[in-house]
Every structure is written in C-alpha cells, then in structure tokens.
Amino acid sequence: MFTLLVILLALAFDILVYLTAGSFLAVESFGIFAIIIYLIPALLNGVIIATGVMENIKFRFLKYILPTLTLFAYFVFGKMVTYSSEWEKFVANNSYSSESFSIQISKDLLSIDQILFILILNFLVVIAVEKVMTYFKRSGN
C-alpha cells in the first residue's frame, strides 16, 4: 500500500511540475523551461530511489515505473501545450537565428526524439542512483 502511495505522489508531483511549466510559458526562458520539464522530474525519481522508500517492495521492478509515469505526465503536458497559442509564442520568443548559428525549439513536444530523450534520461537517473546506492551499501558507508 505504501509503494502505491509513493507512486501516486510521484505522478501527482510530475503533473504539478508540468502544469507549472505550462502556465509560465509566456515568461519563461528556454533554460528555465528545460530545467522544469527535463531535470526536475528526473531528479524527483532519483530522490525517491535514493531515499529507499521503494527498497523493501516485493517486486523490485516497480521502481522502474517512475520513469514511465514521468513519460505519461510529459505526454499529457505535450498534448495540452503543443496546440496552444502560448507554445507558439514560446517557440518564437526562444528561437534565434544569425549568420553564424541558430537555436530552434521543436514545435512538436511529442516527436519521437523528445519522447526517447525523456524516457532515457529518467531511466538513466533511476539506474545511476540505484547503482550508487548499491555501491555505498556494499562498501558499508
């Protein structure tokens, strides 16, 4: 029961993070936006694993559901935002082009590249934290 509560709270936090990101599109810079939608959910998953709250569960694979839930929340966020006028303004405000270089933000948050990036980032964070925790348990620290 406790594990289910942790999973539901993680999903609720992911949804809250993405709603927050969506509500500030008009004033956000791309850097802040990237931190909110990419790093904060991945770090939350890492913190949940690091605290060990999912360590004593019967089915150890359940900790890998966290990145999947983050992807689900991102997908819902992408569906809501991609078709809004605020997203178009955000893309226009944060794209830059000159003779020497250009920065363009994808207009499609749900492209396969974006989905794979979210999934891989979140799985890598969970796996890395799990490996670090295992190392420290073995070394007795």
PDB file of all heavy atoms in Angstrom, residues 87-114:
ATOM      1  N   TRP A  87       2.366  28.164 -26.679  1.00  0.00           N
ATOM      2  CA  TRP A  87       3.529  27.387 -27.120  1.00  0.00           C
ATOM      3  C   TRP A  87       4.142  28.019 -28.363  1.00  0.00           C
ATOM      4  O   TRP A  87       5.359  28.116 -28.473  1.00  0.00           O
ATOM      5  CB  TRP A  87       3.158  25.937 -27.372  1.00  0.00           C
ATOM      6  CG  TRP A  87       4.317  25.124 -27.854  1.00  0.00           C
ATOM      7  CD1 TRP A  87       4.474  24.563 -29.083  1.00  0.00           C
ATOM      8  CD2 TRP A  87       5.506  24.810 -27.133  1.00  0.00           C
ATOM      9  NE1 TRP A  87       5.683  23.921 -29.167  1.00  0.00           N
ATOM     10  CE2 TRP A  87       6.333  24.057 -27.985  1.00  0.00           C
ATOM     11  CE3 TRP A  87       5.965  25.103 -25.855  1.00  0.00           C
ATOM     12  CZ2 TRP A  87       7.581  23.586 -27.589  1.00  0.00           C
ATOM     13  CZ3 TRP A  87       7.208  24.629 -25.457  1.00  0.00           C
ATOM     14  CH2 TRP A  87       7.993  23.886 -26.322  1.00  0.00           C
ATOM     15  N   GLU A  88       3.308  28.461 -29.284  1.00  0.00           N
ATOM     16  CA  GLU A  88       3.813  29.125 -30.485  1.00  0.00           C
ATOM     17  C   GLU A  88       4.585  30.394 -30.123  1.00  0.00           C
ATOM     18  O   GLU A  88       5.645  30.670 -30.691  1.00  0.00           O
ATOM     19  CB  GLU A  88       2.663  29.446 -31.432  1.00  0.00           C
ATOM     20  CG  GLU A  88       2.031  28.209 -32.045  1.00  0.00           C
ATOM     21  CD  GLU A  88       0.812  28.533 -32.890  1.00  0.00           C
ATOM     22  OE1 GLU A  88       0.592  29.717 -33.220  1.00  0.00           O
ATOM     23  OE2 GLU A  88       0.077  27.584 -33.215  1.00  0.00           O
ATOM     24  N   LYS A  89       4.079  31.159 -29.163  1.00  0.00           N
ATOM     25  CA  LYS A  89       4.772  32.363 -28.703  1.00  0.00           C
ATOM     26  C   LYS A  89       6.100  31.990 -28.042  1.00  0.00           C
ATOM     27  O   LYS A  89       7.115  32.649 -28.258  1.00  0.00           O
ATOM     28  CB  LYS A  89       3.910  33.137 -27.703  1.00  0.00           C
ATOM     29  CG  LYS A  89       2.712  33.807 -28.307  1.00  0.00           C
ATOM     30  CD  LYS A  89       1.919  34.496 -27.208  1.00  0.00           C
ATOM     31  CE  LYS A  89       0.553  34.890 -27.677  1.00  0.00           C
ATOM     32  NZ  LYS A  89      -0.273  35.420 -26.577  1.00  0.00           N
ATOM     33  N   PHE A  90       6.081  30.927 -27.233  1.00  0.00           N
ATOM     34  CA  PHE A  90       7.293  30.481 -26.551  1.00  0.00           C
ATOM     35  C   PHE A  90       8.364  30.083 -27.560  1.00  0.00           C
ATOM     36  O   PHE A  90       9.529  30.462 -27.428  1.00  0.00           O
ATOM     37  CB  PHE A  90       6.969  29.305 -25.622  1.00  0.00           C
ATOM     38  CG  PHE A  90       8.168  28.748 -24.915  1.00  0.00           C
ATOM     39  CD1 PHE A  90       8.683  29.392 -23.802  1.00  0.00           C
ATOM     40  CD2 PHE A  90       8.779  27.592 -25.358  1.00  0.00           C
ATOM     41  CE1 PHE A  90       9.793  28.886 -23.144  1.00  0.00           C
ATOM     42  CE2 PHE A  90       9.888  27.075 -24.709  1.00  0.00           C
ATOM     43  CZ  PHE A  90      10.396  27.728 -23.598  1.00  0.00           C
ATOM     44  N   VAL A  91       7.968  29.323 -28.575  1.00  0.00           N
ATOM     45  CA  VAL A  91       8.913  28.901 -29.616  1.00  0.00           C
ATOM     46  C   VAL A  91       9.470  30.125 -30.335  1.00  0.00           C
ATOM     47  O   VAL A  91      10.674  30.238 -30.561  1.00  0.00           O
ATOM     48  CB  VAL A  91       8.251  27.918 -30.601  1.00  0.00           C
ATOM     49  CG1 VAL A  91       9.140  27.667 -31.800  1.00  0.00           C
ATOM     50  CG2 VAL A  91       7.927  26.602 -29.898  1.00  0.00           C
ATOM     51  N   ALA A  92       8.602  31.059 -30.679  1.00  0.00           N
ATOM     52  CA  ALA A  92       9.042  32.271 -31.380  1.00  0.00           C
ATOM     53  C   ALA A  92       9.974  33.116 -30.506  1.00  0.00           C
ATOM     54  O   ALA A  92      10.989  33.632 -30.992  1.00  0.00           O
ATOM     55  CB  ALA A  92       7.837  33.095 -31.814  1.00  0.00           C
ATOM     56  N   ASN A  93       9.662  33.239 -29.228  1.00  0.00           N
ATOM     57  CA  ASN A  93      10.472  34.058 -28.320  1.00  0.00           C
ATOM     58  C   ASN A  93      11.827  33.438 -28.009  1.00  0.00           C
ATOM     59  O   ASN A  93      12.761  34.149 -27.660  1.00  0.00           O
ATOM     60  CB  ASN A  93       9.729  34.307 -27.005  1.00  0.00           C
ATOM     61  CG  ASN A  93       8.558  35.232 -27.174  1.00  0.00           C
ATOM     62  OD1 ASN A  93       8.465  35.978 -28.141  1.00  0.00           O
ATOM     63  ND2 ASN A  93       7.637  35.178 -26.224  1.00  0.00           N
ATOM     64  N   ASN A  94      11.931  32.124 -28.097  1.00  0.00           N
ATOM     65  CA  ASN A  94      13.160  31.453 -27.696  1.00  0.00           C
ATOM     66  C   ASN A  94      13.931  30.845 -28.855  1.00  0.00           C
ATOM     67  O   ASN A  94      14.892  30.113 -28.640  1.00  0.00           O
ATOM     68  CB  ASN A  94      12.848  30.380 -26.649  1.00  0.00           C
ATOM     69  CG  ASN A  94      12.469  30.991 -25.331  1.00  0.00           C
ATOM     70  OD1 ASN A  94      13.307  31.481 -24.599  1.00  0.00           O
ATOM     71  ND2 ASN A  94      11.174  31.008 -25.044  1.00  0.00           N
ATOM     72  N   SER A  95      13.544  31.155 -30.067  1.00  0.00           N
ATOM     73  CA  SER A  95      14.306  30.727 -31.238  1.00  0.00           C
ATOM     74  C   SER A  95      15.168  31.905 -31.680  1.00  0.00           C
ATOM     75  O   SER A  95      14.763  33.058 -31.590  1.00  0.00           O
ATOM     76  CB  SER A  95      13.371  30.303 -32.370  1.00  0.00           C
ATOM     77  OG  SER A  95      12.641  29.159 -31.995  1.00  0.00           O
ATOM     78  N   TYR A  96      16.347  31.586 -32.146  1.00  0.00           N
ATOM     79  CA  TYR A  96      17.282  32.629 -32.542  1.00  0.00           C
ATOM     80  C   TYR A  96      18.021  32.175 -33.789  1.00  0.00           C
ATOM     81  O   TYR A  96      18.390  31.008 -33.907  1.00  0.00           O
ATOM     82  CB  TYR A  96      18.281  32.904 -31.417  1.00  0.00           C
ATOM     83  CG  TYR A  96      19.322  33.924 -31.775  1.00  0.00           C
ATOM     84  CD1 TYR A  96      19.022  35.277 -31.748  1.00  0.00           C
ATOM     85  CD2 TYR A  96      20.591  33.534 -32.147  1.00  0.00           C
ATOM     86  CE1 TYR A  96      19.974  36.223 -32.087  1.00  0.00           C
ATOM     87  CE2 TYR A  96      21.554  34.474 -32.483  1.00  0.00           C
ATOM     88  CZ  TYR A  96      21.234  35.808 -32.456  1.00  0.00           C
ATOM     89  OH  TYR A  96      22.175  36.741 -32.800  1.00  0.00           O
ATOM     90  N   SER A  97      18.251  33.100 -34.671  1.00  0.00           N
ATOM     91  CA  SER A  97      18.977  32.767 -35.885  1.00  0.00           C
ATOM     92  C   SER A  97      19.864  33.942 -36.286  1.00  0.00           C
ATOM     93  O   SER A  97      19.437  35.096 -36.257  1.00  0.00           O
ATOM     94  CB  SER A  97      17.993  32.444 -37.006  1.00  0.00           C
ATOM     95  OG  SER A  97      18.677  32.027 -38.154  1.00  0.00           O
ATOM     96  N   SER A  98      21.098  33.623 -36.616  1.00  0.00           N
ATOM     97  CA  SER A  98      22.023  34.624 -37.138  1.00  0.00           C
ATOM     98  C   SER A  98      22.854  33.957 -38.225  1.00  0.00           C
ATOM     99  O   SER A  98      22.644  32.796 -38.547  1.00  0.00           O
ATOM    100  CB  SER A  98      22.914  35.179 -36.024  1.00  0.00           C
ATOM    101  OG  SER A  98      23.879  34.231 -35.645  1.00  0.00           O
ATOM    102  N   GLU A  99      23.808  34.672 -38.752  1.00  0.00           N
ATOM    103  CA  GLU A  99      24.641  34.100 -39.805  1.00  0.00           C
ATOM    104  C   GLU A  99      25.505  32.950 -39.297  1.00  0.00           C
ATOM    105  O   GLU A  99      25.760  31.996 -40.007  1.00  0.00           O
ATOM    106  CB  GLU A  99      25.518  35.186 -40.419  1.00  0.00           C
ATOM    107  CG  GLU A  99      24.745  36.204 -41.207  1.00  0.00           C
ATOM    108  CD  GLU A  99      25.654  37.273 -41.795  1.00  0.00           C
ATOM    109  OE1 GLU A  99      26.878  37.048 -41.861  1.00  0.00           O
ATOM    110  OE2 GLU A  99      25.124  38.323 -42.187  1.00  0.00           O
ATOM    111  N   SER A 100      25.952  33.034 -38.063  1.00  0.00           N
ATOM    112  CA  SER A 100      26.889  32.034 -37.557  1.00  0.00           C
ATOM    113  C   SER A 100      26.221  30.831 -36.884  1.00  0.00           C
ATOM    114  O   SER A 100      26.763  29.729 -36.929  1.00  0.00           O
ATOM    115  CB  SER A 100      27.866  32.679 -36.576  1.00  0.00           C
ATOM    116  OG  SER A 100      27.154  33.299 -35.529  1.00  0.00           O
ATOM    117  N   PHE A 101      25.071  31.016 -36.267  1.00  0.00           N
ATOM    118  CA  PHE A 101      24.392  29.870 -35.648  1.00  0.00           C
ATOM    119  C   PHE A 101      22.910  30.175 -35.455  1.00  0.00           C
ATOM    120  O   PHE A 101      22.479  31.311 -35.557  1.00  0.00           O
ATOM    121  CB  PHE A 101      25.039  29.491 -34.314  1.00  0.00           C
ATOM    122  CG  PHE A 101      24.769  30.456 -33.196  1.00  0.00           C
ATOM    123  CD1 PHE A 101      23.747  30.203 -32.295  1.00  0.00           C
ATOM    124  CD2 PHE A 101      25.525  31.592 -33.048  1.00  0.00           C
ATOM    125  CE1 PHE A 101      23.482  31.089 -31.261  1.00  0.00           C
ATOM    126  CE2 PHE A 101      25.270  32.478 -32.014  1.00  0.00           C
ATOM    127  CZ  PHE A 101      24.259  32.225 -31.116  1.00  0.00           C
ATOM    128  N   SER A 102      22.184  29.118 -35.153  1.00  0.00           N
ATOM    129  CA  SER A 102      20.764  29.300 -34.871  1.00  0.00           C
ATOM    130  C   SER A 102      20.335  28.335 -33.771  1.00  0.00           C
ATOM    131  O   SER A 102      20.906  27.258 -33.615  1.00  0.00           O
ATOM    132  CB  SER A 102      19.919  29.082 -36.122  1.00  0.00           C
ATOM    133  OG  SER A 102      19.946  27.735 -36.494  1.00  0.00           O
ATOM    134  N   ILE A 103      19.365  28.768 -33.012  1.00  0.00           N
ATOM    135  CA  ILE A 103      18.755  27.944 -31.970  1.00  0.00           C
ATOM    136  C   ILE A 103      17.277  27.865 -32.303  1.00  0.00           C
ATOM    137  O   ILE A 103      16.603  28.896 -32.389  1.00  0.00           O
ATOM    138  CB  ILE A 103      18.937  28.573 -30.573  1.00  0.00           C
ATOM    139  CG1 ILE A 103      20.414  28.701 -30.238  1.00  0.00           C
ATOM    140  CG2 ILE A 103      18.206  27.748 -29.533  1.00  0.00           C
ATOM    141  CD1 ILE A 103      20.674  29.475 -28.968  1.00  0.00           C
ATOM    142  N   GLN A 104      16.812  26.653 -32.513  1.00  0.00           N
ATOM    143  CA  GLN A 104      15.392  26.474 -32.806  1.00  0.00           C
ATOM    144  C   GLN A 104      14.809  25.456 -31.852  1.00  0.00           C
ATOM    145  O   GLN A 104      15.415  24.415 -31.589  1.00  0.00           O
ATOM    146  CB  GLN A 104      15.181  26.014 -34.235  1.00  0.00           C
ATOM    147  CG  GLN A 104      15.420  27.113 -35.236  1.00  0.00           C
ATOM    148  CD  GLN A 104      14.920  26.713 -36.595  1.00  0.00           C
ATOM    149  OE1 GLN A 104      15.301  25.680 -37.114  1.00  0.00           O
ATOM    150  NE2 GLN A 104      14.059  27.547 -37.153  1.00  0.00           N
ATOM    151  N   ILE A 105      13.646  25.751 -31.344  1.00  0.00           N
ATOM    152  CA  ILE A 105      12.937  24.840 -30.459  1.00  0.00           C
ATOM    153  C   ILE A 105      11.927  24.089 -31.304  1.00  0.00           C
ATOM    154  O   ILE A 105      11.213  24.680 -32.108  1.00  0.00           O
ATOM    155  CB  ILE A 105      12.236  25.613 -29.333  1.00  0.00           C
ATOM    156  CG1 ILE A 105      13.285  26.335 -28.495  1.00  0.00           C
ATOM    157  CG2 ILE A 105      11.400  24.703 -28.477  1.00  0.00           C
ATOM    158  CD1 ILE A 105      12.736  27.251 -27.465  1.00  0.00           C
ATOM    159  N   SER A 106      11.883  22.808 -31.102  1.00  0.00           N
ATOM    160  CA  SER A 106      10.944  21.982 -31.848  1.00  0.00           C
ATOM    161  C   SER A 106       9.515  22.402 -31.533  1.00  0.00           C
ATOM    162  O   SER A 106       9.164  22.639 -30.379  1.00  0.00           O
ATOM    163  CB  SER A 106      11.136  20.509 -31.474  1.00  0.00           C
ATOM    164  OG  SER A 106      10.139  19.723 -32.076  1.00  0.00           O
ATOM    165  N   LYS A 107       8.727  22.504 -32.555  1.00  0.00           N
ATOM    166  CA  LYS A 107       7.324  22.864 -32.348  1.00  0.00           C
ATOM    167  C   LYS A 107       6.518  21.675 -31.850  1.00  0.00           C
ATOM    168  O   LYS A 107       5.419  21.841 -31.345  1.00  0.00           O
ATOM    169  CB  LYS A 107       6.721  23.399 -33.645  1.00  0.00           C
ATOM    170  CG  LYS A 107       7.300  24.738 -34.029  1.00  0.00           C
ATOM    171  CD  LYS A 107       6.640  25.300 -35.250  1.00  0.00           C
ATOM    172  CE  LYS A 107       7.268  26.649 -35.559  1.00  0.00           C
ATOM    173  NZ  LYS A 107       6.662  27.314 -36.668  1.00  0.00           N
ATOM    174  N   ASP A 108       7.079  20.484 -31.958  1.00  0.00           N
ATOM    175  CA  ASP A 108       6.372  19.266 -31.560  1.00  0.00           C
ATOM    176  C   ASP A 108       7.047  18.646 -30.342  1.00  0.00           C
ATOM    177  O   ASP A 108       8.099  18.025 -30.447  1.00  0.00           O
ATOM    178  CB  ASP A 108       6.358  18.268 -32.717  1.00  0.00           C
ATOM    179  CG  ASP A 108       5.552  17.026 -32.419  1.00  0.00           C
ATOM    180  OD1 ASP A 108       4.819  17.016 -31.404  1.00  0.00           O
ATOM    181  OD2 ASP A 108       5.648  16.067 -33.201  1.00  0.00           O
ATOM    182  N   LEU A 109       6.453  18.846 -29.172  1.00  0.00           N
ATOM    183  CA  LEU A 109       6.978  18.251 -27.948  1.00  0.00           C
ATOM    184  C   LEU A 109       6.823  16.734 -27.929  1.00  0.00           C
ATOM    185  O   LEU A 109       7.429  16.071 -27.101  1.00  0.00           O
ATOM    186  CB  LEU A 109       6.256  18.832 -26.730  1.00  0.00           C
ATOM    187  CG  LEU A 109       6.639  20.236 -26.330  1.00  0.00           C
ATOM    188  CD1 LEU A 109       5.700  20.750 -25.255  1.00  0.00           C
ATOM    189  CD2 LEU A 109       8.068  20.290 -25.862  1.00  0.00           C
ATOM    190  N   LEU A 110       6.009  16.206 -28.823  1.00  0.00           N
ATOM    191  CA  LEU A 110       5.729  14.774 -28.808  1.00  0.00           C
ATOM    192  C   LEU A 110       6.424  14.026 -29.941  1.00  0.00           C
ATOM    193  O   LEU A 110       6.018  12.920 -30.286  1.00  0.00           O
ATOM    194  CB  LEU A 110       4.214  14.543 -28.858  1.00  0.00           C
ATOM    195  CG  LEU A 110       3.456  15.146 -27.678  1.00  0.00           C
ATOM    196  CD1 LEU A 110       1.964  14.969 -27.862  1.00  0.00           C
ATOM    197  CD2 LEU A 110       3.922  14.548 -26.379  1.00  0.00           C
ATOM    198  N   SER A 111       7.475  14.610 -30.476  1.00  0.00           N
ATOM    199  CA  SER A 111       8.226  13.894 -31.505  1.00  0.00           C
ATOM    200  C   SER A 111       8.929  12.703 -30.856  1.00  0.00           C
ATOM    201  O   SER A 111       9.157  12.671 -29.645  1.00  0.00           O
ATOM    202  CB  SER A 111       9.239  14.822 -32.173  1.00  0.00           C
ATOM    203  OG  SER A 111      10.251  15.163 -31.254  1.00  0.00           O
ATOM    204  N   ILE A 112       9.281  11.732 -31.666  1.00  0.00           N
ATOM    205  CA  ILE A 112       9.914  10.526 -31.141  1.00  0.00           C
ATOM    206  C   ILE A 112      11.231  10.871 -30.446  1.00  0.00           C
ATOM    207  O   ILE A 112      11.581  10.259 -29.432  1.00  0.00           O
ATOM    208  CB  ILE A 112      10.102   9.459 -32.249  1.00  0.00           C
ATOM    209  CG1 ILE A 112      10.500   8.109 -31.650  1.00  0.00           C
ATOM    210  CG2 ILE A 112      11.106   9.902 -33.268  1.00  0.00           C
ATOM    211  CD1 ILE A 112       9.405   7.435 -30.897  1.00  0.00           C
ATOM    212  N   ASP A 113      11.951  11.874 -30.937  1.00  0.00           N
ATOM    213  CA  ASP A 113      13.204  12.294 -30.300  1.00  0.00           C
ATOM    214  C   ASP A 113      12.960  12.783 -28.874  1.00  0.00           C
ATOM    215  O   ASP A 113      13.705  12.437 -27.954  1.00  0.00           O
ATOM    216  CB  ASP A 113      13.873  13.413 -31.096  1.00  0.00           C
ATOM    217  CG  ASP A 113      14.269  12.992 -32.491  1.00  0.00           C
ATOM    218  OD1 ASP A 113      14.350  11.776 -32.745  1.00  0.00           O
ATOM    219  OD2 ASP A 113      14.511  13.884 -33.330  1.00  0.00           O
ATOM    220  N   GLN A 114      11.937  13.596 -28.708  1.00  0.00           N
ATOM    221  CA  GLN A 114      11.614  14.136 -27.383  1.00  0.00           C
ATOM    222  C   GLN A 114      11.187  13.022 -26.429  1.00  0.00           C
ATOM    223  O   GLN A 114      11.610  12.978 -25.274  1.00  0.00           O
ATOM    224  CB  GLN A 114      10.485  15.169 -27.491  1.00  0.00           C
ATOM    225  CG  GLN A 114      10.889  16.446 -28.162  1.00  0.00           C
ATOM    226  CD  GLN A 114      11.835  17.262 -27.314  1.00  0.00           C
ATOM    227  OE1 GLN A 114      11.730  17.303 -26.103  1.00  0.00           O
ATOM    228  NE2 GLN A 114      12.783  17.900 -27.958  1.00  0.00           N
TER     229      GLN A 114
END
